[in-house]
Amino acid sequence: MNYNKVNEYIHKQWMRKGLLSNILYPISQTIKFLLFIKNYLYKSKILKVFRARIPIIVVGNIYIGGTGKTPVVISITKELKAKGWNPGIISRGYGVRIGNTAKVGYKDVDYSEFGDEPTLITKKTGAPISVHPKRCIAIKSLLHNFPNIDIIISDDGLQHSSMERDFEIIVQDNRGIGNGRLIPSGPLRDSVLRLDQVDLIVSNRINCKEMINKSICLEKSKPYHIDMYLRPEFAFNISGLKNNRPISYFNRNNYHRKIVAISGIGNNERFIKTLNDCMIYPSSHIKLMDHCKLNNFSFCDISADAILITSKDAVKYSGSKDPRIWEISVAAEFSDKDFFSYLSNQMHQASMKLKDHL
């Protein structure tokens, strides 16, 4: 509860330029200056930039955490595979110890070694993944272990200037840029100017009714803008002791007397909003820190007929024998159905240029 209150207070401060934000503003200005120096050193080639032999797509955000970039990475990976590409994923592996060498795996990996988001991505896509804080190390290890990969999708990495990329995507949600200030005075990891420098901005809408029918207009200059909605797909029983169910199985018209929701993601409120949109109204919602796992007490201590968790949290509890635990899976639905064809064509062009120059 203390964490939730502090977290809510900080995010409220980040949405306006209040007293706490103003007190921390000088620190944010220092960070802004350091970011400027870093970017200048890379752009002027004083610091070396790593160039992979294949195209790289970066999916990131400037608002700190919880904007929905992981579902975007999963969707892009699946769609590019369907179009004949052989993608690989790189990620930092937040919350786990990596060491000097990258962790490289495929499909069935241990989340305690790779992190929850990388584990979820490779589980949902079947694509190889390489995890290391230094992206160049992750790329080299990925290509060494899977030499047939012909495109790389970077889960986050927008601020990693040492890695050259061919297409940049920023994912935003309803919080936008908050008060427009860098951390700790605001919620931004990068300057607002970054929004004008990327190829595409994806707006993650709260529900499908808010999604505007936007499409990429090649007559306009970049960045292009499209909308996205995280559509609930299915409920998976992580114990395997019960059959999987449609989401509607848990709505208020069904027999479940008490439902508890648990989430440890960057924007916990989005999970409860997703459930409410499906007419599911949990009696309580246990909010954990992003990437956190329930370890202070067991699920046995939770009084509920059904316990609903996110896909990101489900990878932490795989192997659980509690039949009450259900993963609520979501999939990114985009306003532009031709976006993936456009992206694939752009990457084919990038691949041809790399073959000519490398």
Side-chain angles (χ1 to χ4, degrees):
M1 289 298 295
N2 290 335
Y3 157 73
N4 291 327
K5 289 181 179 179
V6 171
N7 188 52
E8 289 174 8
Y9 175 76
I10 290 174
H11 279 277
K12 284 181 180 179
Q13 289 291 308
W14 281 348
M15 295 305 292
R16 59 189 179 89
K17 297 175 181 178
L19 177 62
L20 180 61
S21 176
N22 290 333
I23 291 173
L24 297 172
Y25 187 62
I27 302 176
S28 295
Q29 287 296 93
T30 302
I31 292 174
K32 184 177 181 179
F33 175 72
L34 294 175
L35 280 173
F36 172 79
I37 296 297
K38 183 192 75 171
N39 292 330
Y40 172 79
L41 292 174
Y42 279 113
K43 285 180 181 179
S44 60
K45 297 183 179 180
I46 296 174
L47 294 179
K48 188 177 180 181
V49 177
F50 174 77
R51 170 73 260 186
R53 56 178 173 81
I54 58 176
I56 295 178
I57 300 169
V58 170
V59 181
N61 51 16
I62 62 170
Y63 195 105
I64 183 168
T67 59
K69 63 179 176 56
T70 300
V72 173
V73 171
I74 291 171
S75 293
I76 289 174
T77 305
K78 287 182 174 179
E79 292 293 335
L80 288 180
K81 286 182 73 173
K83 294 183 181 300
W85 290 91
N86 191 19
I89 313 293
I90 59 170
S91 182
R92 178 189 175 189
Y94 185 88
V96 294
R97 293 183 179 181
I98 303 299
N100 295 327
T101 59
K103 298 283 183 68
V104 182
Y106 172 72
K107 202 169 184 178
D108 295 320
V109 301
D110 187 344
Y111 103 90
S112 63
E113 294 184 7
F114 284 76
D116 48 17
E117 289 174 352
T119 301
L120 174 61
I121 292 169
T122 188
K123 175 187 174 183
K124 293 287 186 180
T125 65
I129 193 158
S130 179
V131 174
H132 197 277
K134 294 184 178 179
R135 302 307 165 110
C136 61
I137 293 177
I139 291 171
K140 290 175 182 178
S141 296
L142 182 67
L143 295 178
H144 174 76
N145 286 274
F146 298 93
N148 58 333
I149 286 173
D150 53 16
I151 192 167
I152 291 172
I153 298 123
S154 177
D155 173 33
D156 211 352
L158 192 70
Q159 288 76 35
H160 288 255
S161 304
S162 60
M163 176 183 67
E164 195 165 341
R165 67 286 307 269
D166 302 280
F167 200 91
E168 290 184 324
I169 300 172
I170 283 181
V171 184
Q172 288 193 293
D173 60 15
N174 59 304
R175 296 170 295 182
I177 59 171
N179 61 15
R181 293 177 172 177
L182 292 173
I183 52 174
S185 176
L188 303 186
R189 305 163 63 188
D190 211 333
S191 168
V192 176
L193 298 175
R194 201 69 177 86
L195 292 171
D196 297 324
Q197 301 167 354
V198 298
D199 298 282
L200 177 71
I201 296 174
V202 178
S203 296
N204 186 3
R205 300 303 182 182
I206 293 176
N207 53 55
C208 58
K209 294 179 181 178
E210 287 194 356
M211 193 163 71
I212 303 171
N213 189 26
K214 294 179 182 177
S215 59
I216 291 176
C217 181
L218 300 180
E219 295 178 358
K220 295 182 179 180
S221 58
K222 296 179 182 179
Y224 302 126
H225 294 258
I226 63 173
D227 278 3
M228 174 187 83
Y229 164 61
L230 295 179
R231 175 177 48 82
E233 282 187 309
F234 226 74
F236 298 98
N237 187 254
I238 68 171
S239 71
L241 298 176
K242 292 185 177 181
N243 294 329
N244 298 327
R245 302 282 187 174
I247 301 293
S248 58
Y249 178 73
F250 299 96
N251 68 29
R252 62 187 176 188
N253 298 319
N254 212 286
Y255 76 91
H256 283 289
R257 296 186 302 277
K258 185 176 181 181
I259 294 175
V260 171
I262 300 176
S263 60
I265 56 179
N267 187 353
N268 286 310
E269 295 305 321
R270 183 175 292 278
F271 181 54
I272 205 72
K273 182 67 172 61
T274 297
L275 295 178
N276 292 165
D277 287 345
C278 298
M279 297 178 66
I280 301 171
Y281 302 94
S283 58
S284 62
H285 181 197
I286 300 174
K287 303 175 186 178
L288 306 174
M289 292 178 61
D290 195 11
H291 307 286
C292 183
K293 181 180 180 180
L294 279 176
N295 52 15
N296 293 326
F297 59 93
S298 68
F299 284 100
C300 296
D301 297 320
I302 300 174
S303 175
D305 299 300
I307 300 172
L308 308 185
I309 64 176
T310 71
S311 294
K312 179 175 168 178
D313 293 307
V315 298
K316 307 170 191 175
Y317 306 113
S318 60
S320 172
K321 298 303 179 184
D322 191 332
R324 300 175 302 158
I325 306 175
W326 298 81
E327 170 196 345
I328 304 300
S329 178
V330 297
E333 189 174 286
F334 296 87
S335 61
D336 187 354
K337 307 301 181 184
D338 296 324
F339 159 62
F340 297 109
S341 295
Y342 165 77
L343 182 61
S344 179
N345 290 335
Q346 291 293 110
M347 293 304 95
H348 277 299
Q349 294 179 27
S351 181
M352 294 301 294
K353 289 180 181 179
L354 286 171
K355 288 179 181 178
D356 291 337
H357 292 91
L358 293 182

